[in-house]
Amino acid sequence: MCLIPPVSMSIAGKVGRIVRGRRVELDLTQSAVSSAVGTSRSYYAAIEAGRANPSVGFVDRLAEVLGLRLDLVAAPITIVLGPNVRDAVHARCSAYVARRLLAAGWIVLREVELVDGRLHGWIDLLAFDPRTGTLLIIEIKTSIEDIGRLERQIGWYARVVLSAVPAEWKPRLIASWVLGLASAEIDHVIAQHGDLIDQTFPIRASSMRDIVSGAIAELHGDGLALIDPRSRRRDWLIATRADGRRTPAPYQDRAGAARVLGI
């Protein structure tokens, strides 16, 4: 998956845009505002144009004059690799899931491109069940390093996915599923973040199997299960150890899976 962050406006530019919009909304002149905050009109004009670099204290004073509440929010940029940067295990897993869903009567698209302004991304699989009107956004993971990042990623997909859905699809229900490689490594990560995983992915393998088969047509949240691309079992969606699975994972980690799969 790939989220390429947009070319960001500078902080000074954002401040300038905000204060100018507020000043115009209040029908105030630049001279009136600059006088109220104790600076020259030319300096205030430079702030609105994004050319000045006011101190935090000055911006706070300016916000008070204009009746603004300014909150500072910092978050890491989410960058997810694009479709041309794939490991072979991921490709094997993605193809495996697509075959399973097609065999169950779903319509499947792979590597679906998303564009939202300057954000650009790819969904691993989009699957649509014409029987129930269910649309699944499926993210394949051969390793999980950051649960919060994964949550933000699938949240973005869910918000913009309808722009990428074929016109003939008429989704009635939409959910996101994360399907991880059945590895001891991923089992361990899931166990470490049990509470967060339970909140983010309340639907697990047994219910997901029923959804795939069309036995149930209601969705009550996003889903999480594991997969083994070598498995020919009917119940191909595998429960995690945290969900009560007693058998050991078939792979230790992604590298181990590559060796076993011969790729």
Side-chain angles (χ1 to χ4, degrees):
M1 295 305 157
C2 181
L3 286 179
I4 302 175
V7 177
S8 298
M9 179 183 294
S10 68
I11 293 176
K14 291 177 181 178
V15 169
R17 184 180 62 183
I18 290 169
V19 298
R20 183 184 185 282
R22 180 60 171 168
R23 176 182 63 80
V24 170
E25 180 184 352
L26 295 174
D27 195 26
L28 296 173
T29 65
Q30 288 186 339
S31 296
V33 176
S34 60
S35 177
V37 295
T39 190
S40 66
R41 193 201 66 80
S42 61
Y43 181 69
Y44 175 78
I47 292 174
E48 284 197 356
R51 297 192 303 269
N53 187 27
S55 68
V56 174
F58 186 91
V59 172
D60 189 54
R61 191 162 72 249
L62 185 55
E64 183 178 357
V65 167
L66 293 172
L68 288 169
R69 173 185 172 182
L70 299 180
D71 293 324
L72 179 63
V73 178
I77 294 173
T78 301
I79 301 176
V80 188
L81 299 179
N84 60 328
V85 187
R86 290 298 194 195
D87 65 81
V89 177
H90 184 284
R92 180 72 66 86
C93 290
S94 180
Y96 173 79
V97 173
R99 287 195 305 270
R100 287 290 197 158
L101 289 170
L102 287 168
W106 292 66
I107 305 169
V108 181
L109 299 178
R110 295 179 63 186
E111 300 292 2
V112 179
E113 186 176 18
L114 289 180
V115 179
D116 180 25
R118 294 187 181 182
L119 287 175
H120 202 179
W122 288 265
I123 295 174
D124 283 331
L125 296 167
L126 267 187
F128 180 67
D129 184 357
R131 299 165 297 183
T132 62
T134 300
L135 177 68
L136 297 179
I137 304 163
I138 299 178
E139 172 72 1
I140 306 294
K141 285 295 181 184
T142 55
S143 65
I144 299 176
E145 299 176 356
D146 187 333
I147 298 295
R149 175 180 174 181
L150 175 60
E151 186 177 8
R152 293 191 297 273
Q153 180 181 336
I154 64 173
W156 182 73
Y157 295 155
R159 288 193 296 273
V160 301
V161 68
L162 290 179
S163 65
V165 170
E168 61 271 22
W169 292 10
K170 305 297 182 183
R172 187 175 68 88
L173 302 167
I174 301 175
S176 298
W177 283 8
V178 172
L179 301 181
L181 176 70
S183 69
E185 178 186 54
I186 288 184
D187 264 329
H188 179 67
V189 171
I190 291 171
Q192 280 188 315
H193 300 86
D195 290 343
L196 179 57
I197 291 290
D198 288 343
Q199 293 173 14
T200 307
F201 304 103
I203 307 303
R204 300 303 174 84
S206 59
S207 296
M208 294 163 73
R209 294 178 199 133
D210 289 337
I211 292 169
V212 168
S213 69
I216 59 176
E218 294 300 322
L219 301 177
H220 301 286
D222 295 335
L224 171 68
L226 305 181
I227 55 170
D228 176 1
R230 294 185 302 164
S231 175
R232 296 185 179 181
R233 294 181 55 185
R234 180 179 179 183
D235 293 338
W236 58 278
L237 291 166
I238 304 169
T240 68
R241 290 296 290 267
D243 293 326
R245 193 191 81 244
R246 296 183 179 181
T247 57
Y251 312 105
Q252 181 61 35
D253 52 21
R254 178 173 54 193
R259 289 192 296 269
V260 172
L261 296 171
I263 53 180

